[in-house]
Amino acid sequence: VSTQSTWGSERQELFTFQGHTATVWSCAFHPADDRILLSASMDGTIKIWRREEGSGLNVKTLRGHSGPAYHATFTPDGKRIASCSADRTIKMWSSETGEEYTTLQGHTNTVYHCCVHKSNLFSCSGDILKLWDLSAIEKYRCK
């Protein structure tokens, strides 16, 4: 079981998060609520965590990638999650429900990283970088 820890001042561990079954590649804080965290793993899942008294609680596990998930991040408003994978896709999810909204395809290699700024998503795969306009994707919009 892969473990993630959050450290306090003077390197005092605050929380331990356990639940992934393979190496964790990335982690991120929610942009508006530092009690909510996100992780992406070689087990192909994205996990949403909530810090509770003395531990980390797995709130949701997002499944949909057919390969290892290398990176996941919240959108600036915290309403969506973007994740990227060895399956050569980027998936957009609701951070509230865990529902997959859309899959962005077009990379021909593993997508290692993605980041979101306003309504744009930037992704990298091999020697290719792609910029996506998320506002053009109807399902991306929150209702």
Side-chain angles (χ1 to χ4, degrees):
V1 173
S2 291
T3 303
Q4 294 172 275
S5 296
T6 303
W7 298 86
S9 61
E10 300 179 27
R11 300 198 187 266
Q12 177 185 359
E13 182 178 329
L14 296 176
F15 298 93
T16 298
F17 303 84
Q18 293 183 308
H20 283 293
T21 58
T23 302
V24 176
W25 280 97
S26 77
C27 54
F29 279 101
H30 188 282
D33 185 348
D34 68 0
R35 295 171 300 151
I36 306 296
L37 298 99
L38 186 63
S39 59
S41 170
M42 291 290 287
D43 64 14
T45 67
I46 309 303
K47 290 189 180 284
I48 302 171
W49 307 88
R50 184 175 61 240
R51 291 190 310 182
E52 294 292 332
E53 203 57 43
S55 69
L57 174 68
N58 179 211
V59 177
K60 288 193 178 17
T61 300
L62 312 180
R63 291 180 173 85
H65 284 295
S66 62
Y70 283 102
H71 186 75
T73 188
F74 288 101
T75 56
D77 63 7
K79 293 180 180 180
R80 298 283 183 267
I81 294 166
S83 63
C84 51
S85 169
D87 65 9
R88 303 177 301 207
T89 68
I90 299 137
K91 292 190 178 288
M92 298 300 299
W93 315 80
S94 163
S95 62
E96 206 170 285
T97 67
E99 176 188 356
E100 180 185 325
Y101 278 83
T102 194
T103 299
L104 305 176
Q105 298 178 325
H107 282 286
T108 57
N109 291 302
T110 296
V111 185
Y112 288 104
H113 192 82
C114 61
C115 57
V116 181
H117 182 266
K118 297 184 181 176
S119 64
N120 292 309
L121 184 141
F122 199 38
S123 58
C124 60
S125 170
D127 61 351
I128 301 294
L129 300 163
K130 289 187 178 282
L131 183 63
W132 308 80
D133 179 5
L134 297 177
S135 65
I137 302 167
E138 184 63 32
K139 288 185 177 182
Y140 172 78
R141 296 185 183 148
C142 290
K143 296 181 179 179

